[in-house]
Amino acid sequence: KTEMEKAHIITVKGVKVAFVGFTEMTNGLTMSSDSELAFVYTSDEEEMEKLIKIAKDNADVVIVSVHWGQENVLAASAEQKQLGQKFADWGADIILGHHPHVLQEIETITSADGRAVPICYSLGNFTSTMNDKANHVGGFFKCNVVYDKASGSVSIADEEFIPVVNYFTEGKNNIHVVPFADYT
């Protein structure tokens, strides 16, 4: 538990970036009772708020990664949107969602303190051999983090979604991730 409460930070060009991750579910998988590993579930809002605030206190930028949403549903649920707003209000600067195996919308929400926070509800699949064609697409969220050292303010600029397609041959062989722009 103490390891989970530390902010996991990397420094990029002098800017401290913290990563915090949560999960709505583990898809029916369980860990043994003596495991040293632990998850923070999205049902534990008090713990999530605490961890985001610890990250915010120790870093310039906070990125929240969240495993949430219903598989194969192309739009974020009301619950995802409500929780995403809470993440932003607690201090997240960028929110990256995954689990539905399909793309969901990307938007910018406004945090309680007025920051513009990009949220990707689901980036789809990066690589997969799932059978449904909707599961063959995914992508990257690219942006620039603008950090003003004098004021300590952070803003996100030049946001871009880069779509990719999972390509594979019969028998689920020869798997490639192809930029959508190059896919024929």
Side-chain angles (χ1 to χ4, degrees):
K1 179 106 173 167
T2 48
E3 182 67 23
M4 280 183 19
E5 292 179 352
K6 293 179 187 174
H8 296 277
I9 298 173
I10 62 169
T11 302
V12 180
K13 297 182 181 179
V15 178
K16 293 179 183 176
V17 181
F19 295 88
V20 184
F22 309 116
T23 188
E24 182 180 330
M25 79 298 281
T26 56
N27 294 4
L29 301 173
T30 58
M31 291 186 295
S32 64
S33 59
D34 62 343
S35 176
E36 294 179 13
L37 303 176
F39 296 104
V40 177
Y41 289 95
T42 56
S43 58
D44 191 348
E45 290 191 13
E46 185 178 306
E47 185 71 9
M48 290 188 301
E49 180 179 6
K50 180 177 84 175
L51 294 175
I52 291 172
K53 287 181 175 180
I54 288 170
K56 194 68 169 177
D57 288 344
N58 291 283
D60 305 310
V61 178
V62 176
I63 299 175
V64 170
S65 174
V66 59
H67 181 257
W68 63 359
Q70 186 174 343
E71 288 188 10
N72 298 312
V73 173
L74 297 170
S77 67
E79 292 81 10
Q80 285 171 274
K81 290 185 177 250
Q82 290 165 359
L83 190 54
Q85 184 64 55
K86 289 176 183 180
F87 291 155
D89 292 345
W90 296 332
D93 295 297
I94 300 171
I95 303 164
L96 303 174
H98 43 90
H99 170 259
H101 299 286
V102 293
L103 292 172
Q104 291 181 337
E105 61 266 43
I106 297 172
E107 62 184 6
T108 300
I109 58 178
T110 303
S111 67
D113 62 2
R115 290 173 297 109
V117 177
I119 181 168
C120 306
Y121 291 99
S122 175
L123 290 171
N125 282 336
F126 175 69
T127 184
S128 168
T129 59
M130 295 175 79
N131 292 324
D132 190 352
K133 290 184 193 253
N135 301 129
H136 295 188
V137 295
F140 298 95
F141 178 74
K142 179 181 174 184
C143 64
N144 287 317
V145 174
V146 180
Y147 176 64
D148 182 336
K149 286 189 180 197
S151 67
S153 68
V154 170
S155 60
I156 309 303
D158 307 318
E159 297 173 36
E160 181 182 0
F161 176 73
I162 303 167
V164 297
V165 176
N166 296 280
Y167 172 81
F168 51 91
T169 58
E170 189 174 338
K172 299 184 179 182
N173 294 308
N174 196 25
I175 302 166
H176 289 73
V177 176
V178 181
F180 190 77
D182 297 338
Y183 186 70
T184 59

